[in-house]
């Protein structure tokens, strides 16, 4: 396990080190968001033009066997890796912090983290091209639409 504050990220026992990939797409989900995540992954698969990317779903708070099966089935459906994490608190925006460990799991040219409650309507290729145009050490971000404390980004 790796710990980020009160979040514990479970690295699979059979993990052989960082996996090589061109693009690593990251999202996070919790039991209450699995239906949203299914919609997101479906729209990403259908419209995003990123089927060659490595897709990682950070799944938190999956305490019941039913929740663990649901997220495993969802990831299998979209050929995604699932990485579990446990929350030391209630679900909130900090639940997404588990996804910051992705560079330790995937050695990618580019990383793109997207909220699991989004709907992808068009190709992500222009966004990936914008990432490619950024300096190597740059981190692009946007604020959470419903979080007024992020007005200074």
């Amino acid at each position: 396990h790796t710990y980020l504050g009160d979040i514990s990220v479970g690295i699979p026992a059979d993990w052989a080190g960082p996996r090589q990939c061109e693009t690593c797409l990251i999202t996070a989900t919790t039991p209450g968001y699995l239906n949203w995540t299914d919609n997101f992954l479906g729209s990403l698969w259908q419209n995003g033009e990123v089927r060659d990317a490595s897709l990682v779903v950070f799944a938190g708070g999956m305490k019941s066997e039913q929740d663990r099966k649901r997220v495993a089935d969802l990831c299998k459906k979209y050929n995604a890796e699932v990485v579990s994490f446990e929350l030391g608190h209630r679900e909130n925006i900090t639940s997404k912090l588990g996804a910051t460990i992705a560079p330790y799991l995937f050695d990618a040219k580019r990383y793109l983290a997207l909220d699991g409650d989004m709907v992808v309507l068009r190709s992500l290729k222009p966004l990936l091209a914008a990432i490619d145009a950024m300096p190597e050490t740059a981190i692009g971000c946007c604020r959470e639409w419903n979080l007024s404390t992020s007005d200074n980004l």
Side-chain angles (χ1 to χ4, degrees), residues 109-131:
K109 178 180 175 186
R110 62 177 91 86
Y111 301 89
L112 179 60
L114 299 166
D115 279 359
D117 60 355
M118 296 174 61
V119 175
V120 177
L121 300 176
R122 292 189 178 96
S123 172
L124 294 182
K125 287 183 178 184
L127 182 56
L128 295 174
I131 292 170

